[in-house]
Structures are given as structure tokens and as C-alpha cells.
Amino acid sequence: MTDMHIRTALPEDDAALARLDRALWSTLHAVQPRPEPPYEPFFNDRFGPHDHLVAELAGRLVGYVKLGYPTPLLTNAHVRQIQGLAVAEDVRGRGIGRRLIRAAVDEARRQGAVRITLRVLGHNAPARKLYEAEGFVIEGVLLGEFLLDGVFVDDVLMGRPL
């Protein structure tokens, strides 16, 4: 896909990313309630544009990955964590999610990390399959960690060295 590129998010991407995030909301991956107006900005004090890589296809933002620290502790500052991944439904299956994950891995390395982790809901089989294909392995499972739509859902911890 030659007309797709990945870049660091810009402050002016806020509205487009917020719309994408709301359009993709699902209990398949979200543990927060469905967003309702008035909508919060996409970027906030904790995660700004510099914490996001975005996929742009023909001038349209079609996905993002959020990369952060798993905790504020200096003792695990060598670890980065994927804390969000989204790809617009109409462009899924084109390798955009895979390219975003690879870009996050490269960025984590560039930042000096030696390990990258993530958390994924146990019932999100497509995401788990993608992460596994990119070298992530299950490192732990928090059984029944979330109650979503009346069903207890596992929180799966995955990681890989860089």
C-alpha cells in the first residue's frame, strides 16, 4: 500500500482521531462506556500527539497506535506499552494494523526501550492473532477482570523483547 504512510500525530489530528475512536467503539476492545456528548478531546494531559503514531491513507487518518510507559516508575522505564490500536473498518485487512504495530516497535527501540508490552481483552481474537504474528506472547491472564455487557472478560497481558 504505497499511498499509506505512518507519522507522529499532530495537534490538529485531534478531531479526526476522536471521530475514528468513537466510530470504532466496541466492547470487543473497550472497557470504558461508549462516549457520549459532550465528547472529550482525543489528546489530553496524559497522552498527547507525541504519544501516537497515525496511519494516513490518501490524506485521511485511518488508524493509530498509542505508545506509552506502563507505569511512572523509573524501575521499568526500559519498557514501553501499546495502550491503544485502532484501524478504520473500511480499510481493515490491508496490513495497516500490522504496520502500526511495527512502527510502535521501532519507535520503542528508538526511545531506548528493550521490551514492549500490551493488554488485550481475551475475547478479541483478531487482535490477539495479529499481536502473536508480530512476536508477542501471552505473559499472563487476569481472569474475569472486566464485566462487559454482562459477561466476565479476561485481560490478557502480552509482551516481547525488542
Side-chain angles (χ1 to χ4, degrees):
M1 187 177 319
T2 58
D3 55 344
M4 198 277 291
H5 71 279
I6 295 175
R7 62 171 172 80
T8 302
L10 301 170
E12 53 267 29
D13 295 329
D14 187 271
L17 290 171
R19 281 190 304 274
L20 177 66
D21 221 34
R22 289 191 302 270
L24 296 175
W25 186 93
S26 164
T27 55
L28 184 62
H29 55 78
V31 296
Q32 295 291 332
R34 181 183 296 278
E36 298 289 337
Y39 298 118
E40 297 287 323
F42 185 81
F43 301 126
N44 56 44
D45 292 339
R46 186 165 174 224
F47 294 106
H50 65 279
D51 299 308
H52 294 80
L53 298 172
V54 297
E56 195 170 39
L57 178 63
R60 175 180 157 223
L61 292 183
V62 295
Y64 72 85
V65 62
K66 182 189 316 182
L67 186 65
Y69 293 89
T71 74
L73 302 171
L74 289 177
T75 53
N76 83 326
H78 62 285
V79 180
R80 293 299 177 281
Q81 188 172 62
I82 292 175
Q83 297 181 340
L85 175 69
V87 175
E89 287 184 24
D90 65 313
V91 296
R92 288 186 183 163
R94 296 186 188 180
I96 295 170
R98 184 175 310 279
R99 286 186 55 189
L100 283 165
I101 292 168
R102 289 177 181 175
V105 165
D106 290 344
E107 178 60 17
R109 264 194 213 106
R110 189 193 67 72
Q111 293 177 12
V114 298
R115 186 172 148 59
I116 189 166
T117 64
L118 59 88
R119 296 169 66 171
V120 61
L121 293 176
H123 64 202
N124 192 343
R128 290 177 59 180
K129 182 178 176 183
L130 175 60
Y131 295 135
E132 288 170 0
E134 289 302 311
F136 288 84
V137 297
I138 295 173
E139 297 181 339
V141 178
L142 301 174
L143 298 174
E145 186 72 0
F146 298 104
L147 180 61
L148 304 174
D149 289 338
V151 177
F152 290 105
V153 178
D154 298 345
D155 190 11
V156 180
L157 312 175
M158 300 180 81
R160 61 165 279 193
L162 295 176

